[in-house]
Amino acid sequence: MKHILKKFWIVICLALIINIPILILGTVRTNQSIMLKGDTSNIDNVVTIDSQYDTIGSFSSIFVLSVDKCTILQSLFAKIDKTATVEELNPYYGHFSDWENYRMGQVQKNSSIMTSLITAYSYAQKENTSINIEYSFKSLCVSFYFDGTDFRIDDEIIKINDIDVSVGYSQFSQAIRNSKSGDVVTVLRDNKEMQITLTNCAYNLCRYYPYYNINYDTIYPKANIKSSFVGGPSGGLLQTLAIYNQLVPFDYTKGLKITGTGTMSVDGSVGAIGGIKQKIYTAFDDDMDVFLCPADNYEEALQAYNTIVYKEKMLLIKVSNFSEALQYLYYV
């Protein structure tokens, strides 16, 4: 009996010796953030157009996974994984609640969809004058604010001193960028106007994305926007391509699986994004044929691309604007 009890306590002790460190490593959190591979998503899951044209191939956006304040164990595994990135957590994001982090991504996504619609329809109008979109600049929607300031996520900046949004996006955004301490900004918060007196340039207090009023009653062909929990602005380029492709008779996919990333502006320029390394690996894992990459991300993307065995299965293409993307796909 004593012999059995002795073995029992040896087993218990060994279990504690092994499991307690694992428990600690798996529960104690760090000030690090992990970026991991994610997945691709067909643009039809976000925006569809009532169109007579068929698409043989596909346009897909990419999302990656981010874990903030990861555990010690997660950090160790991520450092072993060559496709992951481990960085120190940005100290300027520590004051946000989980809800605010979610809304931050939704503000960026909402702006991205509006911009994609405007850009795609405006380009398509050049080929077919019956295509119509009516829109006006609405506001600059706050997607980030520094701790201690009076701004909040979802605030819509509609006026600074005597200048309001009626002057248009270019002039209004310039006025915000040129703001200074003492200027008075009017925002819409929960559908009510409130004024914020700046203590610094507005851009040093918050970040924002343009919102537009789009007349969905007169838009032609009709656009259908679907709800999505995935946030961020990086789907802009692929969204614009997918919408445009449904508005014109030529099928720019040519039966290929096309993906990529990049923000989109109404002037057609393609902007840089984060997580490009993980997006390259995700696209290759999902058997994509073409990856369209913003010019500002291209060197980092190329480094990841060159580590892939059989990388020639997926073409990596650098683009600076929407016209370049169309030109490449036309001749591919």
Side-chain angles (χ1 to χ4, degrees):
M1 186 67 177
K2 290 182 179 180
H3 183 68
I4 294 173
L5 286 174
K6 184 177 180 181
K7 283 187 175 181
F8 172 77
W9 285 113
I10 290 174
V11 170
I12 293 296
C13 290
L14 287 173
L16 290 174
I17 291 171
I18 295 171
N19 289 318
I20 287 178
I22 294 176
L23 183 63
I24 293 172
L25 292 174
T27 56
V28 176
R29 295 193 173 273
T30 69
N31 284 322
Q32 294 179 326
S33 176
I34 298 174
M35 190 79 72
L36 303 165
K37 291 188 297 182
D39 202 357
T40 55
S41 177
N42 195 299
I43 301 297
D44 288 346
N45 295 328
V46 180
V47 183
T48 57
I49 307 298
D50 292 347
S51 170
Q52 60 180 321
Y53 304 121
D54 294 326
T55 300
I56 302 174
S58 64
F59 288 102
S60 296
S61 58
I62 309 174
F63 66 87
V64 296
L65 303 177
S66 178
V67 181
D68 292 336
K69 295 183 179 179
C70 62
T71 66
I72 297 174
L73 192 61
Q74 288 172 327
S75 177
L76 291 173
F77 278 122
K79 289 175 181 177
I80 297 171
D81 183 355
K82 293 182 179 180
T83 68
T85 300
V86 181
E87 296 178 340
E88 290 299 312
L89 191 65
N90 191 326
Y92 295 116
Y93 284 77
H95 59 288
F96 292 120
S97 66
D98 290 341
W99 174 249
E100 286 180 304
N101 278 315
Y102 168 73
R103 286 305 309 163
M104 188 184 303
Q106 292 300 298
V107 167
Q108 296 167 344
K109 182 196 73 174
N110 293 340
S111 175
S112 175
I113 291 174
M114 296 174 197
T115 302
S116 292
L117 284 167
I118 292 168
T119 306
Y121 274 75
S122 298
Y123 269 77
Q125 278 178 332
K126 299 172 184 178
E127 296 189 34
N128 184 350
T129 55
S130 68
I131 292 172
N132 181 65
I133 187 168
E134 298 174 7
Y135 68 94
S136 61
F137 173 58
K138 180 187 179 187
S139 64
L140 294 173
C141 192
V142 174
S143 63
F144 169 94
Y145 64 88
F146 287 95
D147 193 17
T149 67
D150 293 327
F151 290 99
R152 293 295 178 266
I153 307 295
D154 284 314
D155 280 353
E156 293 189 50
I157 303 173
I158 58 173
K159 188 176 181 180
I160 177 168
N161 299 327
D162 296 326
I163 303 173
D164 64 24
V165 293
S166 64
V167 300
Y169 167 70
S170 180
Q171 189 173 338
F172 187 75
S173 59
Q174 186 64 46
I176 295 297
R177 286 194 297 271
N178 291 339
S179 60
K180 59 187 183 303
S181 177
D183 287 343
V184 178
V185 166
T186 302
V187 303
L188 278 177
R189 181 181 296 174
D190 298 325
N191 295 318
K192 295 179 181 178
E193 289 190 12
M194 64 173 293
Q195 293 184 327
I196 296 174
T197 300
L198 301 181
T199 58
N200 201 328
C201 172
Y203 192 74
N204 292 331
L205 303 176
C206 66
R207 299 287 186 268
Y208 39 78
Y209 282 79
Y211 268 17
Y212 297 90
N213 282 315
I214 297 176
N215 190 335
Y216 288 99
D217 292 329
T218 61
I219 193 171
Y220 179 80
K222 293 294 183 183
N224 307 294
I225 313 299
K226 303 177 183 179
S227 61
S228 169
F229 289 106
V230 177
S234 63
L237 172 60
L238 271 297
Q239 287 166 181
T240 309
L241 285 167
I243 295 168
Y244 179 83
N245 199 62
Q246 295 177 71
L247 295 171
V248 298
F250 182 79
D251 182 9
Y252 281 83
T253 70
K254 298 181 180 177
L256 299 173
K257 295 170 66 177
I258 300 167
T259 190
T261 189
T263 63
M264 177 58 62
S265 299
V266 291
D267 64 2
S269 59
V270 176
I273 52 80
I276 187 66
K277 173 182 173 181
Q278 287 72 34
K279 290 182 178 180
I280 289 290
Y281 293 131
T282 299
F284 186 81
D285 286 351
D286 281 7
D287 297 320
M288 294 291 144
D289 297 307
V290 178
F291 188 107
L292 299 173
C293 176
D296 289 340
N297 290 119
Y298 183 72
E299 291 305 319
E300 183 182 358
L302 187 61
Q303 289 179 8
Y305 179 73
N306 284 336
T307 66
I308 298 174
V309 179
Y310 304 120
K311 63 185 179 182
E312 61 275 5
K313 292 181 179 180
M314 182 181 77
L315 297 174
L316 175 63
I317 306 301
K318 177 172 66 173
V319 295
S320 299
N321 54 59
F322 186 64
S323 294
E324 284 185 5
L326 286 180
Q327 185 177 22
Y328 170 78
L329 294 177
Y330 185 84
Y331 289 106
V332 67

